[in-house]
Amino acid sequence: MDKADKRIVLTGFMGVGKSTVARHLSYLAKEKKLDLDDFLEKEEKRKIPEIIETDGLDFFRDVETRNLSKILDETNARIISLGGGAWTTEKNRTLIKDCGCVTVWLESTFDHCWRNISFSKRERPLAKNKIQARKLFDERQKVYCLADWHFVINPGLNSFEVAKQIAKEIFLAEIH
Ligand code: S3P
């Protein structure tokens, strides 16, 4: 695949800052970005918590896969931030790999993610309490590490600085 066609996909646990980093990265690289959760909610005309609570998690995962597919096939977004569970579905990983995307796992400590989850206004049905979130966090590490790049977030950096580092180290290496 030509470097000019490559896309960057950000994955990682809830609260790690995928959407914010994607926004900064889009600004820095002057490339279009899309957030899977936002895209999905607009397409479905429903909020994620409502989908999960009304129709269940399996239904939501199918909706997520369908919308991921749509982003990959029908948009020209070069930077895509996933929801925290999207990369854990094998079908999604295959879709992403088949499109020649470069995947980046944004990794941070559980405490960092949990702090962001607790302060965020966003409702997260799969992280309603710390014990539930911690369990999911531990279970998912082995799947997140299947991403092409593993970017450990330095807790001293803000999300713009993180994006700058990604732009310098990963984006330049993979895209330009
Ligand atoms: C989920 C993460 C959420 C959202 C949904 C499920 C998960 O996205 O997709 O609530 O399974 O980790 P964020 O990672 O943006 O919070």
Side-chain angles (χ1 to χ4, degrees), residues 14 18 37 48 60-61 64 83-85 124-126 140:
M14 291 174 264
K18 301 175 292 290
D37 286 348
I48 290 171
F60 168 68
R61 293 296 175 212
E64 190 175 47
R124 288 180 164 99
L126 300 189
R140 286 180 175 176

Side-chain angles (χ1 to χ4, degrees), residues 71-89:
I71 290 182
L72 295 171
D73 293 345
E74 298 173 20
T75 80
N76 58 0
R78 299 288 302 281
I79 299 163
I80 300 160
S81 46
L82 300 179
W87 180 251
T88 66
T89 305

Side-chain angles (χ1 to χ4, degrees), residues 12-19 35-37 40-41 48-49 52 57 60-61 64 81-86 88 117 122-127 136 140 144:
F13 199 66
M14 291 174 264
V16 78
K18 301 175 292 290
S19 317
D35 180 77
L36 175 57
D37 286 348
L40 177 158
E41 288 187 338
I48 290 171
I52 295 179
L57 191 55
F60 168 68
R61 293 296 175 212
E64 190 175 47
S81 46
L82 300 179
T88 66
I117 291 170
R122 190 175 205 144
E123 199 189 327
R124 288 180 164 99
L126 300 189
L136 215 49
R140 286 180 175 176
Y144 288 141

Side-chain angles (χ1 to χ4, degrees), residues 12-30:
F13 199 66
M14 291 174 264
V16 78
K18 301 175 292 290
S19 317
T20 317
V21 170
R23 182 159 41 80
H24 293 314
L25 201 50
S26 157
Y27 167 79
L28 289 165
K30 297 182 182 54

